[in-house]
Amino acid sequence: MKAGSRFLNAVSAVALSAGVVASGAGVITLASASVAEAAVIQRIDVRGAERVGVDAVRDNLTIKPGKSFSPGDIDNSVKQLYATGYFSDVHVTVSGSTLVVSVKENQLINAVVFNGNRKIKDDKLQGVVQTHAAGPYSETQVQADIKTIKDAYAAIGRNEVQVTTQTVPVAQGRINVAFVINEGDRTKIDKINFSGNQAYNSGRLASVISTKKTNFMSFLTRKDVYSADRQQADQDALRQFYYNHGYADFRIVSADATLNEQNNEYTLNFNVDEGPRYTYGDINVVSTVDGVNAEDLKSLVITQKGNVYSAKDIQTSIENISKRVASAGYPFARITPRGNRDLGGHTIGIEYLVDQGERAYVERIEIRGNTRTRDYVIRREFDINEGDAFNQEMITRAKRRLDALGYFTKVDISTAAGSAPDRVVVVVNVEDQPTGSFGIGAGYAVGNNGGLLLEASVEEKNFLGRGQYIRIAAGAGTEGNRTYNISFTEPYFLGYRLAAGFDIFKNQTSSDDYYDYSEEGFSLRVTAPITENLATTLRYNYKRLTYDGTNDWEDNLSAPYQNLVENGPWIQSTVSQTFTYNTLDDQNLPREGIIAKFTHEYAGLGGDSDFYKLSGKARYYKMISDEADIIGSLTVGAGYVMPTDGKLNVFDQFTLGGREIRGFENAGIGPRTSNGDPLGGTTYLTASAEASMPMPGVPQDIGLRLAAFADAGTLYGNKANLFGDVLHNDSSIRASLGAGLIWSSPFGVIRVDYAVPVLKEDYDKVENFRFGIANQF
């Protein structure tokens, strides 16, 4: 016998006696450690592969006829066959010059169904499990899917969910798989306790974190759902809150959650150590980079000596310096803030050191965890691409942008080593959250054109995962009021950071039963950022206005309105540009910052209007008391319109009323006819001061706040009196004082105001009570 044959026989004997197989997830090894030489087989015999096919088995083997193999190759082949998911058992033996592969096929799945689920629909569950129809049945995968389903229910506050499976044979080698779900009761948050806090009361800290106590609206908000990730996010939010308010030594001593299994309720406990409050000491900029002058960078620093320490201001200063240095040709420069604590005086001096950082390039950006939002929607928020110089400040800016989108419950950005020492992999981990909403709003006005108005809307901020915004709304009310609106925005038009979109609208109303008014039209718009806080919007606006007389309108209408009825419909075609400056810390409940808008508009591109109009408004927010969460705001506004062909229509001018000066009707202030119809004016000025605080005795989780305000303004300069009607036209100041109740409800911010005019004219129209959806600007 030849030596090769003797060796093959020896291999066969070893395989049959010592090293054969395992089933399930087992691993085959050729166990004899004494066999150090490689073996060669001439053919492969596959047994049991009825559905999968012989070729599919052979393709997953690392052993090939005529080529030497080792025990490690048999081990790898078995692992690879199990990894396909098609086999529940695999045996590999060597018989003479033949490799015998015996497999037992997994059953094929005919259908996957879900039973007992009501809170999460079938299509959502089907999207998270990996067990699918036409695939092989794997007990390991089924167990993993059970855990995934439990995690999905835990995310909506149902930690008691129980999941089992049932299999039913339906044909030869085929089964139906059913996930049987007992959803259990929803867990709740009974208490949120804070200890160790002295500077801020527990109610103020409760408003900082995202987890809220269970209340009567929790079934809509879902903010009373406990999870370890959310608790970690709450800890981060507390740290940022304290760091941004002067407490640089703040730390969380402990944070835990206790479940009362009897009531299925959690108690959250946060034990904090605030430390002293710091202000800024000396501020300086130092540069070790040739060509970078530190003195030129000092104007970019917003941290000022004597101000309260804020980590956010330091980060903004770093980003300002980094952007300037990078644009000057130093993309690898590194800006490091160095703090100099004076423990006795409770000050922190900051020195911004600009030095030459290590050269590093972005090898790639990896997006993970997004199940709905498309990769490019995330990538476009980065100002750097693969191959660009790595810049940590740009990474921080991208995270801030991604957080602000509102598409994700979590955004984590980390770095990993690339393929070379100067290569960096940017890893973006996100977790999608629902972005669609259905809203029902209500408003009520008491004036002549007032009454109840109900509006229903459907809104999606991340349409089809593309980051597009769409909103459809319709409203109806008393006094013939009807509203219809459709809005769409593409935030990155043609691949640029240009938010392009359109609005289509139609509004109908009646006035005192003697004329009906309607307006319909559309606007096309595009918004471009100028800086992080400043943007400009260009619009084309088309509006068709119709006045129809009803009943005895000829006897009741003043001359200007008779003209509108007789000579309509009227077309208004304009182009406008708006500059928006926004530094608000929160778009829903601002506590700090400025939002300002300035618009200029030209009418004359066809239609019946010819004018040039200027208008602007600015609102400044400032915390009056951090401890009591008292927020103050000051608002000013102004506008002026001039005709470009010598005349203005009534509807071309400004109107002023309860939206700007509470206590009056809409269009309740300014020039009027002898019949009391508003004519509008060419010039207006407004000012308002307001302070709000949490409603005493009500948990801040409910979102109720009290407000006190003072409004003032004037409207004058009518140029539409072309019909000999008597005008009430003067520039006297109107003013009012009042109080309001604000509720941050799941349907939006709802507000009720009661105001009393303290300065008014006899012909003004008063409306003390207003109710509706609040608008912070």
Side-chain angles (χ1 to χ4, degrees), residues 262-275:
Q262 183 177 355
N263 299 326
N264 203 25
E265 294 177 335
Y266 278 100
T267 297
L268 306 186
N269 300 295
F270 296 91
N271 182 13
V272 304
D273 179 7
E274 295 176 326

Side-chain angles (χ1 to χ4, degrees), residues 100-340:
V100 180
V101 182
S102 300
V103 296
K104 182 179 180 181
E105 292 177 318
N106 273 324
Q107 293 175 301
L108 286 181
I109 299 173
N110 180 66
V112 177
V113 297
F114 301 91
N115 296 328
N117 55 307
R118 292 181 296 114
K119 301 302 181 181
I120 303 181
K121 301 302 181 183
D122 286 6
D123 58 337
K124 298 294 185 182
L125 293 175
Q126 194 67 63
V128 300
V129 300
Q130 299 300 312
T131 300
H132 296 298
Y137 176 83
S138 169
E139 182 62 30
T140 301
Q141 185 59 61
V142 166
Q143 292 302 316
D145 287 340
I146 289 175
K147 182 180 184 304
T148 300
I149 293 172
K150 288 182 176 181
D151 291 342
Y153 272 94
I156 62 170
R158 292 184 177 269
N159 294 319
E160 289 189 333
V161 62
Q162 296 178 350
V163 184
T164 58
T165 59
Q166 295 176 349
T167 59
V168 180
V170 293
Q172 181 64 34
R174 290 180 176 271
I175 59 172
N176 286 344
V177 179
F179 289 92
V180 181
I181 301 170
N182 181 352
E183 294 180 322
D185 294 328
R186 197 167 74 87
T187 56
K188 301 178 181 179
I189 304 294
D190 179 43
K191 296 178 182 177
I192 301 178
N193 299 322
F194 297 90
S195 59
N197 51 307
Q198 297 178 352
Y200 301 99
N201 61 42
S202 296
R204 178 70 177 98
L205 297 184
S207 71
V208 173
I209 63 176
S210 63
T211 306
K212 306 299 181 184
K213 288 174 57 177
T214 300
N215 58 55
F216 68 99
M217 296 300 291
S218 293
F219 74 99
L220 288 173
T221 65
R222 299 297 188 188
K223 292 184 178 180
D224 64 336
V225 175
Y226 168 77
S227 73
D229 288 342
R230 176 172 282 189
Q231 188 184 48
Q232 184 60 53
D234 287 342
Q235 293 181 56
D236 292 339
L238 287 171
R239 292 188 186 95
Q240 290 303 314
F241 172 75
Y242 272 97
Y243 293 161
N244 292 333
H245 288 80
Y247 296 89
D249 295 335
F250 172 82
R251 66 189 183 94
I252 296 176
V253 179
S254 63
D256 59 69
T258 304
L259 176 64
N260 183 331
E261 295 184 359
Q262 183 177 355
N263 299 326
N264 203 25
E265 294 177 335
Y266 278 100
T267 297
L268 306 186
N269 300 295
F270 296 91
N271 182 13
V272 304
D273 179 7
E274 295 176 326
R277 195 182 199 195
Y278 290 90
T279 58
Y280 288 117
D282 293 330
I283 307 295
N284 197 19
V285 179
V286 177
S287 173
T288 63
V289 179
D290 292 338
V292 176
N293 188 343
E295 291 298 320
D296 296 339
L297 303 176
K298 288 185 177 180
S299 62
L300 304 174
V301 175
I302 65 172
T303 51
Q304 301 296 322
K305 184 176 182 178
N307 288 353
V308 174
Y309 173 89
S310 170
K312 181 175 65 176
D313 290 345
I314 294 175
Q315 183 59 43
T316 301
S317 299
I318 292 173
E319 292 179 12
N320 292 343
I321 296 173
S322 176
K323 185 183 295 185
R324 174 71 62 82
V325 172
S327 64
Y330 302 91
F332 300 104
R334 177 176 54 199
I335 295 85
T336 306
R338 298 190 296 194
N340 181 21

Side-chain angles (χ1 to χ4, degrees), residues 643-662:
T644 56
D645 71 347
K647 66 176 182 178
L648 291 172
N649 297 308
V650 170
F651 50 80
D652 294 334
Q653 301 192 118
F654 296 108
T655 59
L656 198 66
R659 295 186 182 92
E660 299 82 12
I661 307 175
R662 286 158 284 192

Side-chain angles (χ1 to χ4, degrees), residues 470-533:
I470 186 169
R471 183 177 187 270
I472 302 173
T478 56
E479 303 297 331
N481 293 319
R482 300 288 187 274
T483 63
Y484 309 93
N485 295 276
I486 299 175
S487 295
F488 175 82
T489 302
E490 165 54 63
Y492 276 74
F493 184 59
L494 299 178
Y496 297 97
R497 191 165 285 158
L498 299 173
F502 64 83
D503 306 284
I504 302 173
F505 62 90
K506 182 174 182 178
N507 302 316
Q508 297 173 293
T509 188
S510 298
S511 175
D512 293 335
D513 295 327
Y514 58 83
Y515 76 86
D516 293 327
Y517 167 75
S518 70
E519 63 179 34
E520 56 191 9
F522 66 90
S523 66
L524 305 175
R525 50 185 161 74
V526 59
T527 300
I530 299 174
T531 67
E532 284 290 306
N533 300 321

Side-chain angles (χ1 to χ4, degrees), residues 41-49 53-55 57-58 61 63 65 81 91-95 97-103:
I41 50 94
Q42 301 302 319
R43 59 186 296 270
I44 298 175
D45 182 15
V46 178
R47 302 172 183 175
V54 171
D55 291 340
V57 174
R58 288 174 176 165
L61 297 174
I63 302 170
L81 287 170
H91 291 257
V92 177
T93 60
V94 178
S95 177
S97 61
T98 300
L99 186 75
V100 180
V101 182
S102 300
V103 296

